[in-house]
Amino acid sequence: VYLTTADGMTRGIARNISSSGLFVETRDALPLGGKIKVTFTSDDGTEMTALCEVRYQVALNYGNEEEEISGTRGAGLRII
């Protein structure tokens, strides 16, 4: 998905999409409580945009002793 904030546009990976919201993995933090536009695209060029509010953020770290620890950031969005 494409995420448009007051600071510009970035991309994310949408997860757990429902009629009321979604979780998006992102590289950068999104403004908590901020309004953002989320644009979904398909392979045939169809687009759909939803106005969302950032409800919460998480930072995920994973790995084990034998692997280098990796991480990602994400945000829970409520569809307005």
Side-chain angles (χ1 to χ4, degrees):
V1 294
Y2 294 94
L3 307 167
T4 305
T5 67
D7 296 330
M9 183 183 285
T10 188
R11 294 187 302 177
I13 299 171
R15 309 261 189 221
N16 300 334
I17 302 169
S18 72
S19 62
S20 60
L22 63 148
F23 180 82
V24 177
E25 290 181 25
T26 61
R27 287 186 179 180
D28 301 314
L30 296 173
L32 192 61
K35 305 290 189 279
I36 64 170
K37 290 181 182 177
V38 178
T39 302
F40 301 86
T41 62
S42 67
D43 292 337
D44 68 2
T46 304
E47 292 186 357
M48 178 177 69
T49 301
L51 181 62
C52 296
E53 177 184 17
V54 180
R55 299 293 293 167
Y56 67 88
Q57 295 192 53
V58 296
L60 307 169
N61 292 316
Y62 49 90
N64 60 33
E65 293 176 7
E66 291 126 23
E67 297 177 7
E68 183 177 329
I69 294 179
S70 298
T72 188
R73 175 180 300 280
L77 307 178
R78 180 178 67 90
I79 297 173
I80 299 172

